Every structure is written in C-alpha cells, then in structure tokens.
Amino acid sequence: MFFKNAQVYRLPAGYDMTAERLIELLAPQAFRPATSAELTTSGWIAPTKDGALVHTVNKQLLIALQTEKKLLPASVVTQVAKAKAEEMEEQQGFPVGRKAMKELKERVADELLPRAFSIITAVRTWIDPVNGWLVVDAASPSKADDVVKMLLKAVDRMPLESLRVQRSPVAVMTGWLDADEAPAGFTIDQDTELRATGESRAAVRYVKHSLDPDDIRRHIAAGKQCTRLAMTWNDKISLVLTESLAIKSIKPLDVIREGESAARDDIERFDSDMMLMTAEMGLLLADLVGELGGEAKA
C-alpha cells in the first residue's frame, strides 16, 4: 500500500487528534454520488474495506477523499448547440445572436449532464500526529490542495503548514550532481532534469541513462540547475525529488518487500503494510529534510 507520490505538509509534533475524533469531523462530508444536475462532487470514503472513514494503525491515521467528475467535453456541447442553432435559424429566419448562443450552450450542457460518463478517483492521505507529518498521495500540488481544503473545512483551525526547508532543493540537488556524490544514506539514480534559469528555459532530461559527471558539470557551468533527481534511500525506497519538494515515483525495493506481511486476511496484511510504510517514510522524510538544511522556522 505504499504511496506513489508525496505532497508533504507539517503538523505540530504530538498533534492531538484521534481516529475517533477525526471520524466525527469527517462524517458530515462523507462522499455521496453526484446528482444528475451536478458536474462534480467530493467527499470522504473509507480507505480500507473495514468501512471506517479513518483507518488507524500504531497511532498513524489514513483517510481518503473520493471525487466524482462527469465528462462533458466542450466540443460535444458546441456541436449539439450548433445543430440546435441551425434549426432555430430556419424557424425564425435569422441567425442566433451571441448572447442567445451562450444561453443555448448552457441549456444544452444541462440537458446532456445526466447522460455524461463519470470518472471516480480517490486520493489517500496519511496523518502522523506523533511526528507531525501529513502526506497526500497526489502527483500534482493542485490535487493535494483539493484534499487539504476539504480537510480544513472539516477540521476547524487545524495547524497545518506546507513543509519549508532551509536550503533550496534546486541548489542542493545541483550541488550533489556537481560533486558527483549523494549525501549519506542516498544514492543518485539514472533519471534527472536540468533546466536553465534564463528566458530560454532550455532543459536536458536523462531517463534511465547513466549520468556522466563531466557532461552534467558542463550543463551546470552553462547555467542549468537540477529540478528533478531520482535517488534511492538506504537501498530501501527509490524516489524522485522535485524542485517544489514534492516526492514522486516512490517505490519500495526488494529489501522492503521481503518484510511485507504474510498475514491471514486482507485487513491484517493492510495494517502490517501500513505500519511498514509509515515507519520507513517517516525516517526517509526526516533524512531528506536534514539534508536540505532542516526545517525553515517562521
């Protein structure tokens, strides 16, 4: 059940939140299917098969936000509205005006909405009240922001902040590549991106390609800086660190998988995997923040 991505936020260590209290707060925002007149709807669902809105293991909390979005392409609305406008023109003897066409498109969209296909997605969030981490399994900051906004609506005055560090991830990653040396506990892998800071925004990407130190240094000397870097932490987890402190392409390696549970049922296995993930990810985040100079203080 390892997260594939991590948008990382901070809570005070020892944050006073229990599963029981969080369930109570999330319940009014539980997911309900979109009605025929709604284009999208979001709400909390059970992250596991046990049915509770919050799953807890060893004081670690797991929640999930589900979103239903109906697909109604603008091109389809325009096509149908255009056909209706042509019929109206024949009946009334003059073209449909701009304002009338806009209103016609709105009516067409309302008519088509009940027949639109739905896409349902769920985004999981891990809350560590003990050590003060909140991690959203989302590839983009915008999806993480959607989760955080819903959570802040449910939990009034939640002391949540974005993770901020003392040193720029871009500068630090560029330094690692320039020195051809990763910090203790990390190794540099074969994926990276270097991007120029000038108007050209020229970029060089290495994908599953060995990083020749001399080539990398030439790009750095030309003004490019590292904006994405693939690394492995303690031979346990591979990841890609980005310039915005997002962690992507998280993958547990064999040494982690060897410790995966052979529990008797799905819930026991899930609990064991969740305990393993939260423990290892907590250590990874602490090491990563440390290599970036520690947390920036307000």
Side-chain angles (χ1 to χ4, degrees):
M1 67 142 295
F2 255 79
F3 281 14
K4 294 181 180 179
N5 303 283
Q7 303 286 339
V8 186
Y9 299 83
R10 260 321 212 167
L11 289 164
Y15 176 55
D16 184 20
M17 178 58 71
T18 64
E20 294 75 18
R21 176 59 178 157
L22 190 53
I23 289 172
E24 180 183 333
L25 295 171
L26 297 184
Q29 295 180 359
F31 177 79
R32 59 167 181 77
T35 66
S36 60
E38 290 179 311
L39 189 61
T40 183
T41 184
S42 295
W44 303 103
I45 61 168
T48 64
K49 296 179 180 179
D50 64 5
L53 288 180
V54 179
H55 190 77
T56 180
V57 177
N58 195 31
K59 298 183 179 179
Q60 305 298 299
L61 311 176
L62 188 70
I63 58 178
L65 183 72
Q66 182 162 289
T67 299
E68 179 182 359
K69 186 174 183 179
K70 293 184 179 178
L71 290 180
L72 190 58
S75 59
V76 173
V77 174
T78 299
Q79 182 179 351
V80 175
K82 185 177 179 180
K84 288 182 177 290
E86 290 174 353
E87 292 177 3
M88 292 172 62
E89 183 177 348
E90 290 181 3
Q91 293 171 2
Q92 62 192 17
F94 56 87
V96 175
R98 183 178 299 177
K99 182 178 179 181
M101 189 63 185
K102 181 181 178 182
E103 294 173 349
L104 180 58
K105 285 184 177 181
E106 292 174 352
R107 290 200 303 271
V108 167
D110 290 340
E111 292 171 3
L112 293 178
L113 191 57
R115 290 181 285 166
F117 290 104
S118 291
I119 291 182
I120 296 178
T121 57
V123 178
R124 295 182 300 178
T125 297
W126 157 44
I127 302 172
D128 177 359
V130 179
N131 300 295
W133 297 111
L134 186 144
V135 179
V136 183
D137 186 1
S140 69
S142 61
K143 285 190 176 180
D145 286 345
D146 291 341
V147 174
V148 168
K149 286 176 184 176
M150 286 287 290
L151 187 58
L152 292 177
K153 285 182 182 179
V155 184
D156 187 37
R157 297 181 183 177
M158 188 177 196
L160 185 65
E161 297 180 351
S162 297
L163 174 63
R164 295 180 297 115
V165 290
Q166 296 279 2
R167 301 174 64 195
S168 159
V170 169
V172 172
M173 292 189 294
T174 302
W176 292 341
L177 288 177
D178 192 30
D180 190 28
E181 185 176 359
F186 291 87
T187 56
I188 295 173
D189 296 337
Q190 295 186 325
D191 290 57
T192 191
E193 176 182 273
L194 296 111
R195 186 177 293 276
T197 56
E199 293 181 1
S200 69
R201 298 295 290 169
V204 175
R205 295 184 181 91
Y206 291 79
V207 180
K208 297 182 180 178
H209 191 287
S210 59
L211 307 183
D212 181 82
D214 291 335
D215 286 343
I216 294 294
R217 290 187 185 110
R218 277 194 290 271
H219 288 301
I220 294 173
K224 295 185 180 70
Q225 294 182 308
C226 182
T227 55
R228 293 170 58 93
L229 184 62
M231 299 187 294
T232 295
W233 171 75
N234 281 343
D235 296 324
K236 293 181 178 181
I237 299 173
S238 65
L239 59 110
V240 173
L241 179 64
T242 74
E243 59 185 326
S244 62
L245 264 183
I247 304 172
K248 299 186 177 184
S249 303
I250 300 170
K251 183 179 179 182
L253 303 181
D254 290 342
V255 67
I256 290 282
R257 295 191 178 280
E258 288 172 1
E260 287 182 343
S261 171
R264 291 187 299 273
D265 59 49
D266 290 343
I267 293 298
E268 288 181 355
R269 187 178 302 111
F270 188 94
D271 286 352
S272 178
D273 291 347
M274 179 175 164
M275 188 179 299
L276 181 64
M277 183 198 79
T278 55
E280 296 294 347
M281 284 292 294
L283 294 173
L284 164 61
L285 292 174
D287 283 355
L288 199 53
V289 169
E291 295 300 336
L292 294 172
E295 292 188 60
K297 304 301 181 183

